[in-house]
Amino acid sequence: MPHEALVTFDRLRDAEAYSLEFFKERGYIRKKCRVCGEYFWTVNPDRDVCGESPCEEYKFVGRNLAKKKLDVRGSREVFLRFFEKRGHRIIKPYPVVARWRTDMFLTDASIVDFQPFVTSGIAPPPANPLVISQPCIRLVDVDKVGLTFGRHLTIFEMGGAHAFNYPDKEVYWKEDTVRYYHEFVREEYGIPEEEIIYKESIWSGGGNAGPCFETISYGLELATLVFMQYKTLDSGLIELPIRTVDTGYGIERFAWFSQGTPSCFDAIYGELYPKLEKIIELPKPDRKLLEAYSPYTALVTPKANQTIHEARRIVSERSGIPLEVIEREIIPLERIYALLDYTKSITFIISEGVVPSNVKVGYLARLLIRKAYRLLEFINSADKLVDLIDLQINYWARDFPHLEEIRNETIEIIESEINKFRETIKRGAAYVEREIKQLKTRMEELPTEFLVRMYDEKGLTPDFVKQIAEKMNLKISIPENFYELVASRHLKAVEAPTQDWIRILEEKVKNYPATKKLFYERPLEFNFKAKVLGTVDNYVILDQTLFYPTSGGQASDNGFLKWGDNRTRVTEAILLSGGVILHKVEGLIPPSGIEIEGELDRERRLRLMRHHTATHIILGAARRVLGKHAWQAGAEKEPDKARLDIYHHKRLTREDLEKIEHLANGIVMSRIPVIIKWMDRNEAEKIYGFTLYQGGEVPSAIIRVVEIPGWDAEACGGIHCESTEDVGLIKIVRTERIQEGVERLIFTAGTSTLPYIQENEKIISEASMMLETPSASILQKLQETINELRDLRRRYRSFIKIAAKYRAKELSIKSLEFDKLRIYVSREREDDKEYVFAISDELIGPPQPKCFIAVYGGEKPSILIVCNEEAQNLGLHAGELASKIASRIGGRAGGQSKLGQGVLQNDVDEEALRKIILEVIGEVLKG
């Protein structure tokens, strides 16, 4: 079948896709599970269930079925060495933060390391076949962690044995994949053949799909053997030219099976329990109770038509354990299991430079931290989160040394996030109350979307929101899968849609060849000759060009195209997806087929080059000053200035900036050559690691590496200086907090720095003249002036209080009365809010209900209304009064029940104001 042909998912359900010669050799037969209805392969003709829990309970718990007991480390080693002996090269694990991809944030399977570049044929694999034990993080089941005793984890190691089969090179496919698994579990774990079951299934993920076998023994799924051979499209499946063996051996599950412990957590963290007990109190239910409960734990998952409580009741019936015993003995243990899992995930994510925030992978890190913190609060151990993180680092650093290398940064970032969460909780009650009151429709029960909004906007956890809502006599039901719900909305990046005008241009130029990029060959040349291949609207297409197009955050070159006596200005160069570069021109458009001469704006190009190289230098400096978590979040290089956005958990200090500037300019003065080379992707990753991808993914087998030896190396397509000394003086002009967790550094380099320095000198000179003091004494003189101003303000406030007392006496004589209510009306010509408030303070004390209404200022005055508590109890609302009065006069106002404020569009005298107030107050009190 040609690989362009479309097929449907039904094709993956054909028995032919799962029928193997290996099964015939071993006497396996295909059967249908009487419980779940899925097909499976077994050597036991009497077996009528697939064997996977919950179709069948676990049968390995409390038994010594494996050849030997293994912890996670041992399980990993056995797996890797087995496949190494069979010709697979061991590959180091990739990071858990998938920075080499733009479509997802976390590595959730070993195949993610090789999608889409290897699986689609863009780049070769680092080895073929290969084997890897890849730490993975999945948050799709975050609310199930602990409940199922280890069936669900947020962090786990996936043992991946991968083979990539090309049209001209077959490595191995289904037969050998199943044969390897069979040998593995029989030889390494001693599982008898009658307990090795292969369940048919379909796998889809990362844009690919294929048939697969879920391998099951004693009720436990131990691995998934995927045969990835399709690309998924909206309309169906397309067969891939490269067929990939994608196996996922559960490293923790094999350890669990080998030990036969009640839970997978016991197998993963058992060695940690004595140290954990010194940090938090551990429940200690009877082991026999746990062994009786564990086989049925696959049932304890929240479902649309079944609550966790209902699921526990079913487990109680099947296991014979009273429900009250489960709730008393098991639930506290589930919380400990979840804490162990969450804190390990947090440790791995933060150690790779993630700063908790409300966006991208930072959102997911924050979710885990706050969920773990609230869980610790529930067991009265909220202050122990950092201790648990430290415990995880100590335990796992032996296998993953980077955890120890970045320990201090990890702890600091988590402590910072804890403090932010505490502040959020302090301020959160008032915010939630206000938002509930502002809901447009009255309701007895708050919707789930309200909980989601409170969490997404303010990081307020649903249990906290529930406490506030219940105080307001509102019901609220928290979905048992709440965190799975919110996480699912943030697991994948949202791809920015291609702009319509770009799509139109790409369609118009689709038949043109890619433009030859002379700017890589001759970056310091500014003139070239080229042939005009065609024109589209006011865009010119050349066969080759020196004009660098807008790309990678670097602005495009400008300049001119010349032919004969004609000259037209190039205002922008644009790179389209097919490799065609368009030259946008103003003026005459050269005819197709002629030869033109291109001329770049020399100074613009040089400034852009300096700013791009300076970006790499500053990033290297920032990572040394702030820490390895300071990854690039974005960058833009313009001729007059540039910006670099970096992840950081707190505001940059003046000291931070000075250190970064000092280091950056030291690199400039060191005259280090900037080395640019095209490298095999796998070789570059091996040498430089994944910090190569500071600027994001590079979809190519060969990548362009820009290296400042000993300082920085990145995959980069920009134009750079030949040496760091060519950059010139680097000056950080200012910083901004563009969003939580991201700091923006705006800087200049080389000749672009001069205008900034000159402008600062001008400001200093003018300040010196205004203060009548030498520039060196400006700060001292300014401090003296500020002190004098403060003294004057203090005296002014004293005079205001005296004046306000006299004015209050005048207003008391002219006050209005409505039964018990007294109203003071003031029209002040001075635009002085402080004075007006001082008058109010003199007038509206208890016990009589009082309201102070003032209009102050000139032609478009302001309005201020203050109602004391007694007036509010009569039904007066200052904000509503201000709104009504402003609408009569002309203007807008509003506010809270005590204080209303606004701005009027028309002037009003005191007599007219008193008349309007009488009308409005009368209407309010009658209503």
Side-chain angles (χ1 to χ4, degrees):
M1 180 181 68
H3 69 267
E4 292 86 359
L6 278 172
V7 298
T8 65
F9 270 95
D10 289 337
R11 174 69 176 271
L12 304 186
R13 296 184 176 91
D14 289 350
E16 180 187 349
Y18 304 92
S19 182
L20 304 180
E21 285 298 318
F22 174 80
F23 287 157
K24 294 177 183 178
E25 293 171 12
R26 306 302 303 180
Y28 272 78
I29 53 178
R30 187 175 191 246
K31 305 199 75 176
K32 187 174 184 179
C33 180
R34 63 174 169 80
V35 180
C36 67
E38 300 294 335
Y39 288 97
F40 64 96
W41 294 79
T42 177
V43 294
N44 183 356
D46 297 325
R47 174 175 280 281
D48 61 355
V49 291
C50 66
E52 183 179 14
S53 187
C55 293
E56 182 175 294
E57 68 273 14
Y58 297 142
K59 294 183 176 179
F60 66 94
V61 174
R63 301 171 67 186
N64 295 318
L65 297 173
K67 280 186 174 181
K68 55 185 175 181
K69 292 186 177 182
L70 298 171
D71 58 10
V72 172
R73 187 174 294 114
S75 176
R76 180 196 309 125
E77 190 67 15
V78 164
F79 167 75
L80 292 173
R81 297 307 165 195
F82 175 87
F83 280 96
E84 184 183 38
K85 291 175 184 176
R86 286 156 180 79
H88 295 64
R89 188 198 300 174
I90 297 175
I91 302 299
K92 287 177 62 177
Y94 283 46
V96 297
V97 181
R99 287 192 169 95
W100 60 94
R101 299 184 61 161
T102 57
D103 60 331
M104 62 194 306
F105 301 126
L106 296 171
T107 305
D108 61 6
S110 60
I111 195 62
V112 167
D113 302 346
F114 313 108
Q115 288 176 315
F117 310 119
V118 175
T119 56
S120 62
I122 294 174
N128 196 13
L130 61 83
V131 64
I132 186 170
S133 186
Q134 175 63 49
C136 300
I137 295 181
R138 288 184 187 172
L139 301 187
V140 292
D141 296 315
V142 64
D143 290 308
K144 301 181 185 74
V145 173
L147 301 177
T148 56
F149 270 41
R151 178 184 172 93
H152 298 96
L153 303 169
T154 64
I155 184 166
F156 56 92
E157 287 186 52
M158 180 178 287
H162 299 291
F164 305 93
N165 297 287
Y166 293 82
D168 59 346
K169 183 186 177 182
E170 182 86 2
V171 182
Y172 65 84
W173 192 228
K174 296 180 182 178
E175 297 286 348
D176 285 339
T177 301
V178 174
R179 194 180 304 275
Y180 283 145
Y181 176 81
H182 213 74
E183 291 176 7
F184 178 72
V185 294
R186 294 195 71 189
E187 294 176 14
E188 301 296 342
Y189 289 88
I191 300 177
E193 197 163 49
E194 59 269 21
E195 290 294 341
I196 304 173
I197 302 166
Y198 297 90
K199 182 180 176 182
E200 296 177 10
S201 187
I202 296 172
W203 178 90
S204 179
N208 302 129
C212 74
F213 289 114
E214 295 173 352
T215 67
I216 301 150
S217 295
Y218 300 100
L220 182 64
E221 181 187 345
L222 291 169
T224 304
L225 314 178
V226 179
F227 307 103
M228 199 169 73
Q229 60 191 104
Y230 296 102
K231 179 179 180 180
T232 57
L233 301 173
D234 292 339
S235 53
L237 305 171
I238 291 180
E239 192 167 340
L240 291 164
I242 300 171
R243 292 171 299 123
T244 302
V245 172
D246 171 24
T247 67
Y249 286 62
I251 300 300
E252 287 86 356
R253 289 195 177 195
F254 275 104
W256 185 14
F257 168 76
S258 77
Q259 295 184 34
T261 52
S263 82
C264 189
F265 299 97
D266 301 329
I268 301 169
Y269 303 103
E271 293 179 17
L272 276 178
Y273 286 175
K275 294 180 180 178
L276 180 65
E277 196 170 18
K278 295 178 181 178
I279 300 173
I280 57 178
E281 185 178 349
L282 297 184
K284 296 179 180 179
D286 182 73
R287 186 178 178 92
K288 290 189 180 299
L289 170 67
L290 297 178
E291 290 178 351
Y293 179 78
S294 174
Y296 304 95
T297 51
L299 292 166
V300 191
T301 56
K303 298 177 183 177
N305 60 346
Q306 177 182 283
T307 66
I308 293 175
H309 181 76
E310 290 167 347
R312 291 192 203 280
R313 188 178 296 280
I314 294 171
V315 173
S316 172
E317 292 170 357
R318 293 194 184 182
S319 66
I321 302 171
L323 185 59
E324 59 270 21
V325 174
I326 292 174
E327 292 175 343
R328 184 181 68 248
E329 301 290 335
I330 303 296
I331 292 178
L333 190 61
E334 291 171 349
R335 297 188 184 111
I336 302 301
Y337 289 159
L339 277 170
L340 285 165
D341 177 80
Y342 297 158
T343 51
K344 183 183 176 185
S345 278
I346 292 165
T347 301
F348 273 69
I349 293 176
I350 301 299
S351 70
E352 289 185 9
V354 172
V355 175
S357 67
N358 286 333
V359 295
K360 299 182 180 180
V361 69
Y363 179 98
L364 303 175
R366 169 165 287 175
L367 181 150
L368 283 169
I369 292 171
R370 296 192 172 185
K371 187 168 174 58
Y373 183 85
R374 292 297 277 182
L375 202 52
L376 280 165
E377 274 192 329
F378 194 85
I379 62 172
N380 300 315
S381 300
D383 59 336
K384 301 301 182 183
L385 181 54
V386 169
D387 294 327
L388 292 179
I389 299 296
D390 199 52
L391 185 70
Q392 297 280 12
I393 293 173
N394 290 337
Y395 188 68
W396 297 106
R398 175 180 164 188
D399 301 313
F400 304 96
H402 72 280
L403 299 178
E404 179 59 43
E405 293 167 9
I406 201 170
R407 174 196 293 269
N408 292 338
E409 287 178 49
T410 300
I411 296 297
E412 182 184 341
I413 289 171
I414 292 169
E415 285 178 337
S416 173
E417 177 61 17
I418 291 170
N419 291 332
K420 288 177 183 176
F421 186 44
R422 286 171 177 162
E423 286 299 312
T424 296
I425 293 298
K426 281 182 183 178
R427 301 190 303 267
Y431 176 78
V432 173
E433 286 180 13
R434 185 165 65 250
E435 290 300 306
I436 290 175
K437 288 177 181 177
Q438 289 180 0
L439 288 174
K440 292 181 180 179
T441 56
R442 297 290 178 185
M443 55 185 70
E444 293 183 1
E445 184 169 355
L446 290 174
T448 299
E449 277 304 312
F450 182 82
L451 288 174
V452 173
R453 183 164 68 85
M454 291 297 98
Y455 183 80
D456 278 353
E457 291 181 1
K458 294 295 180 180
L460 295 168
T461 53
D463 53 315
F464 175 79
V465 176
K466 183 177 182 179
Q467 292 172 4
I468 307 303
E470 288 177 345
K471 288 179 181 177
M472 300 174 71
N473 298 318
L474 279 171
K475 296 178 182 177
I476 191 162
S477 177
I478 302 174
E480 292 180 326
N481 64 338
F482 176 83
Y483 287 96
E484 294 174 4
L485 176 68
V486 294
S488 66
R489 303 182 183 190
H490 296 265
L491 290 175
K492 298 197 179 291
V494 179
E495 186 177 353
T498 304
Q499 294 175 290
D500 289 341
W501 67 276
I502 290 288
R503 276 199 300 269
I504 293 169
L505 285 174
E506 287 180 341
E507 179 63 27
K508 289 181 177 180
V509 305
K510 64 182 180 182
N511 294 323
Y512 286 95
T515 309
K516 185 177 181 181
K517 300 172 180 177
L518 298 177
F519 44 79
Y520 285 149
E521 302 171 12
R522 296 142 50 185
L524 286 173
E525 293 187 20
F526 307 97
N527 297 87
F528 68 99
K529 291 183 178 180
K531 181 181 178 181
V532 178
L533 299 182
T535 61
V536 175
D537 302 328
N538 59 330
Y539 296 95
V540 178
I541 306 165
L542 304 175
D543 64 335
Q544 58 183 12
T545 187
L546 273 179
F547 283 93
Y548 181 83
T550 301
S551 180
Q554 179 175 324
S556 79
D557 288 320
N558 293 166
F560 297 92
L561 299 181
K562 296 186 287 187
W563 68 100
D565 295 329
N566 301 302
R567 186 172 188 247
T568 191
R569 181 170 182 81
V570 177
T571 58
E572 186 180 10
I574 301 170
L575 176 65
L576 299 181
S577 59
V580 174
I581 295 175
L582 301 181
H583 303 75
K584 187 177 182 180
V585 298
E586 286 182 353
L588 291 173
I589 297 177
S592 299
I594 70 164
E595 184 178 81
I596 58 91
E597 181 182 346
E599 178 186 329
L600 272 64
D601 181 331
R602 176 189 175 92
E603 185 57 30
R604 179 184 174 89
R605 160 63 74 84
L606 291 174
R607 288 187 176 203
L608 289 168
M609 291 171 69
R610 294 183 193 115
H611 280 145
H612 206 143
T613 305
T615 301
H616 287 221
I617 293 172
I618 290 177
L619 180 60
R623 286 173 64 80
R624 284 162 175 82
V625 172
L626 306 175
K628 293 180 180 179
H629 65 274
W631 276 74
Q632 178 177 312
E636 191 172 278
K637 305 93 184 176
E638 296 284 348
D640 58 331
K641 64 181 182 300
R643 66 168 174 81
L644 171 65
D645 300 337
I646 56 173
Y647 292 105
H648 192 48
H649 53 287
K650 56 187 177 183
R651 289 307 316 266
L652 296 176
T653 65
R654 184 69 244 172
E655 184 181 3
D656 292 333
L657 298 179
E658 288 174 356
K659 287 180 179 178
I660 292 170
E661 277 186 341
H662 179 76
L663 282 178
N665 283 294
I667 293 300
V668 170
M669 298 299 291
S670 297
R671 305 171 66 182
I672 302 172
V674 179
I675 299 171
I676 299 175
K677 51 193 172 184
W678 295 89
M679 297 183 69
D680 172 80
R681 182 189 195 93
N682 294 315
E683 186 65 19
E685 290 175 356
K686 184 178 179 181
I687 294 172
Y688 301 109
F690 290 91
T691 53
L692 275 172
Y693 303 117
Q694 292 285 346
E697 74 170 3
V698 182
S700 175
I702 305 297
I703 62 177
R704 186 171 180 265
V705 177
V706 176
E707 180 184 12
I708 302 171
W711 190 254
D712 181 78
E714 299 178 38
C716 178
I719 308 298
H720 287 268
C721 300
E722 292 185 327
S723 169
T724 59
E725 70 172 328
D726 299 331
V727 172
L729 178 66
I730 294 174
K731 180 64 185 173
I732 299 175
V733 176
R734 68 179 187 275
T735 66
E736 299 171 355
R737 186 76 156 175
I738 61 169
Q739 66 185 49
E740 190 175 9
V742 180
E743 290 286 305
R744 172 167 291 174
L745 289 80
I746 297 154
F747 62 93
T748 58
T751 54
S752 299
T753 303
L754 185 59
Y756 169 78
I757 293 175
Q758 290 173 335
E759 179 63 23
N760 271 1
E761 287 182 343
K762 180 182 176 184
I763 292 170
I764 292 170
S765 176
E766 290 179 357
S768 176
M769 292 175 62
M770 291 172 65
L771 293 171
E772 298 179 347
T773 189
S775 58
S777 303
I778 285 177
L779 288 179
Q780 180 182 344
K781 184 67 174 179
L782 191 58
Q783 187 60 58
E784 291 173 0
T785 304
I786 290 171
N787 290 339
E788 290 176 7
L789 183 60
R790 285 174 178 163
D791 185 59
L792 287 172
R793 283 179 177 169
R794 182 181 56 77
R795 295 182 185 184
Y796 174 69
R797 289 192 185 98
S798 298
F799 289 131
I800 278 181
K801 287 182 179 179
I802 295 171
K805 284 184 179 180
Y806 282 105
R807 181 60 173 154
K809 288 179 181 179
E810 293 177 4
L811 296 178
S812 295
I813 298 170
K814 299 187 292 181
S815 63
L816 304 173
E817 287 201 32
F818 283 85
D819 294 331
K820 298 178 181 179
L821 175 66
R822 175 164 291 194
I823 301 169
Y824 303 97
V825 181
S826 176
R827 177 64 178 96
E828 304 297 330
R829 289 295 166 184
E830 293 298 322
D831 190 2
D832 191 335
K833 183 187 284 190
E834 189 174 352
Y835 173 55
V836 175
F837 267 119
I839 298 171
S840 171
D841 291 343
E842 294 291 331
L843 291 171
I844 64 161
Q848 184 180 359
K850 296 175 184 177
C851 183
F852 174 70
I853 303 174
V855 172
Y856 61 98
E859 293 181 3
K860 293 185 177 182
S862 300
I863 184 170
L864 183 143
I865 300 179
V866 181
C867 294
N868 66 7
E869 188 174 345
E870 290 77 11
Q872 294 171 52
N873 292 337
L874 289 179
L876 289 186
H877 187 287
E880 293 175 1
L881 278 178
S883 177
K884 291 177 184 293
I885 293 170
S887 66
R888 302 276 179 104
I889 299 171
R892 296 183 65 182
Q896 304 300 313
S897 58
K898 180 180 179 180
L899 176 65
Q901 299 183 79
V903 178
L904 306 178
Q905 295 300 313
N906 303 310
D907 193 5
V908 61
D909 59 28
E910 186 171 326
E911 185 178 342
L913 177 62
R914 292 169 70 89
K915 184 178 179 181
I916 291 169
I917 290 169
L918 285 170
E919 292 174 357
V920 171
I921 295 290
E923 292 171 3
V924 170
L925 292 178
K926 286 178 183 177

